[in-house]
Amino acid sequence: MSETGRRVLLAYYGDDFTGSTDAMEVTALAGLRTVLFTRVPDAATLARFSGYDVYGIAGTSRAQSPEWMDAHLPAAFEALVRLDPRLVQYKVCSTFDSSPTTGSIGRAIDLGVGVVGGAWSPSIVGAPQLGRWQAFGNLFAAAGPKNYRIDRHPTMSRHPVTPMNEGDLRRHLAGQTDRPIDGVDFVALDGFDPARIEGPAPVVFLDVLDPASQARAGEIVWEAPDARLFSASSSGLQYALVAHWRQTGRLPATPPVLPEAAPVARLLVLSGSCSPITADQIAHAEDAGFAAIRLDVRAAATPARAEAERARIGEAVAAAFQTARGVIVYAARSVDDPAYAALQAMCAETGLPFAEAQDALGRFLGALAREAVPRFGLERLVVAGGDTSGRIVESLPIDALEVAHPLVRGAPLCRCHSASEAYDGLQVALKGGQMGSADVFVKALGGAAAPAAALSAAGS
């Protein structure tokens, strides 16, 4: 038995915060009690959340070096093993973007297998529910109405830190680990038997294209003879397990329905995303009456200028809330935005690594969020961008998150648990750059983005 007093089905470490809430959403909406910690929990924190089926720890390793992983991931994996789960997962992005020097999934697997053990390490990345498919080892992803192999995806092939230039995940991962890597394509799934695996704990990718292959992949992992397995997977693992559990009766075929979120008086959106999908969402919100405020990214990323820029943005937000219920603060709208070029130029001038400049922007937005929640009495906050979400939530006095309401697939509204009254009960949605429909920010606000005259009527 685990420290929580019952068998835990799955425990995972998320390599960024948006992906962590995406994974939490899948099991929570299936009816499994799921909690996500914002850091490795101590005994007192864990005691407040006993009896859950699934536990997660949200992290920021997607933006970190292998050396950082060596220093931080083993303790996180050891904490998960102490919960005595059947599976330990390193939750990765469904686009699998990573590199040997930043967010190395290979290094995470080597560390995780070393802690968790197991004769093999399965990996499920395809998740049709998110517009992700894996066929013959190659990953495909949706972008608007079209689907692309990941190395031809209009956003992920141009990711500013970890561009995907290889569609075959086996070849991509081989640049990050010396561990044997294999794959089971969807043609061979039915006949695959993990008991016949040989070699030093190879990574084995399982194709997922449709409901049948998804449920079969979940069956292969869950019914494997290993006492415990380590899996570096997207939320495709959660989707596959839920599909299998429904087929076998462990979960009901019809999941419980969470209530829709009520409108709030005002909503603040903080975006560090450079995705064109997020750009469309910002434009849609502006058309619906949101106010959009652009950061001076050079000032925000420069320590000597950041405090003055934060004061400027704070006053701009205050003024915007006089005329709009929804306010968006954003760094750039895409990699073609002049602000992106300006940040690159600053890095070239000063010698500051671009990743450090992006990290500074995330911490800037985190400080802004910490001030804004009590100042404006916010009940709901939306963050766009995976790395940005991590930096912002780390800046807030929040211990754990639970899914409260659906919003868009992959980005639910989460209830915050905090010892601080201003943050306890705060609702937060962490939206990855590739996630959500054009109206996601409008849906998060609820109702029309009415002018200030309507705020008093809304109870603000």
Side-chain angles (χ1 to χ4, degrees):
M1 297 296 290
S2 71
E3 294 175 355
T4 62
R6 62 182 288 173
R7 179 71 180 188
V8 175
L9 302 178
L10 172 67
Y12 68 92
Y13 176 95
D15 70 351
D16 72 1
F17 275 66
T18 56
S20 298
T21 58
D22 163 35
M24 174 172 61
E25 177 188 48
V26 180
T27 51
L29 294 186
L32 295 170
R33 295 192 70 199
T34 307
V35 64
L36 175 66
F37 297 109
T38 60
R39 59 189 63 84
V40 176
D42 57 22
T45 301
L46 194 61
R48 292 160 49 198
F49 298 94
S50 63
Y52 282 66
D53 302 297
V54 179
Y55 290 83
I57 300 172
T60 60
S61 55
R62 182 181 176 189
Q64 305 293 350
S65 68
E67 293 74 23
W68 184 97
M69 292 181 172
D70 291 344
H72 294 86
L73 289 186
F77 295 148
E78 289 164 3
L80 296 176
V81 168
R82 287 195 295 272
L83 294 168
D84 190 28
R86 171 69 178 83
L87 298 170
V88 175
Q89 178 190 12
Y90 179 70
K91 197 281 174 189
V92 303
C93 183
S94 62
T95 50
F96 215 75
D97 50 303
S98 53
S99 79
T101 58
T102 303
S104 172
I105 297 172
R107 180 62 66 91
I109 292 172
D110 289 340
L111 294 169
V113 171
V115 172
V116 177
W120 64 303
S121 183
S123 183
I124 300 175
V125 184
Q129 295 87 341
L130 301 178
R132 309 288 187 264
W133 305 268
Q134 185 172 318
F136 297 106
N138 284 268
L139 181 62
F140 298 81
K146 296 184 178 181
N147 305 320
Y148 301 86
R149 199 173 67 191
I150 199 66
D151 57 329
R152 296 176 181 175
H153 191 278
T155 301
M156 300 317 302
S157 65
R158 304 175 64 202
H159 191 283
V161 179
T162 51
M164 289 295 287
N165 52 25
E166 173 57 65
D168 189 326
L169 297 188
R170 295 163 296 186
R171 293 175 62 90
H172 178 74
L173 187 64
Q176 303 173 23
T177 178
D178 294 327
R179 185 175 299 276
I181 301 169
D182 203 349
V184 183
D185 63 54
F186 66 92
V187 177
L189 277 176
D190 284 345
F192 177 68
D193 181 2
R196 295 200 296 264
I197 291 175
E198 297 179 353
V203 178
V204 181
F205 286 101
L206 304 178
D207 273 4
V208 168
L209 276 176
D210 55 18
S213 57
Q214 187 168 70
R216 174 57 181 155
E219 178 186 12
I220 288 170
V221 173
W222 186 252
E223 303 298 340
D226 306 73
R228 181 177 291 121
L229 284 174
F230 178 84
S231 173
S233 295
S234 74
S235 59
L237 175 65
Q238 277 81 353
Y239 282 113
L241 290 172
V242 166
H244 174 60
W245 291 335
R246 284 178 176 154
Q247 280 191 348
T248 56
R250 179 182 284 271
L251 289 176
T254 303
V257 178
L258 289 179
E260 294 292 327
V264 289
R266 52 171 64 98
L267 174 74
L268 179 62
V269 177
L270 301 175
S271 176
S273 170
C274 289
S275 165
I277 291 176
T278 303
D280 289 344
Q281 292 162 345
I282 293 172
H284 184 94
E286 286 181 293
D287 290 343
F290 276 60
I293 301 168
R294 178 187 285 273
L295 285 181
D296 180 340
V297 294
R298 293 174 66 106
T302 303
R305 301 173 60 192
E307 185 174 349
E309 175 65 3
R310 192 163 60 249
R312 181 186 75 84
I313 294 295
E315 292 310 307
V317 171
F321 273 137
Q322 298 300 311
T323 58
R325 290 175 55 215
V327 177
I328 302 170
V329 178
Y330 69 97
R333 300 207 183 203
S334 73
V335 293
D336 298 316
D337 190 303
Y340 187 86
L343 191 64
Q344 286 183 313
M346 186 194 80
C347 290
E349 294 165 7
T350 63
L352 179 70
F354 189 74
E356 291 186 21
Q358 289 188 306
D359 181 70
L361 287 179
R363 287 185 279 108
F364 176 94
L365 289 171
L368 188 68
R370 188 173 185 119
E371 296 170 359
V373 169
R375 178 178 178 180
F376 301 113
L378 297 178
E379 300 175 71
R380 190 172 296 162
L381 180 73
V382 175
V383 183
D387 296 339
T388 303
S389 293
R391 291 292 173 254
I392 289 178
V393 176
E394 284 181 331
S395 300
L396 304 179
I398 295 170
D399 297 319
L401 303 169
E402 289 189 77
V403 173
H405 306 284
L407 179 59
V408 294
R409 191 180 293 275
L413 281 168
C414 302
R415 181 191 185 279
C416 298
H417 294 275
S418 173
S420 170
E421 183 177 354
Y423 298 89
D424 191 49
L426 174 71
Q427 294 179 2
V428 175
L430 307 178
K431 189 202 79 68
Q434 302 302 305
M435 295 293 184
S437 54
D439 63 349
V440 60
F441 300 147
V442 178
K443 288 176 65 176
L445 173 62
L455 287 178
S456 58
S460 67

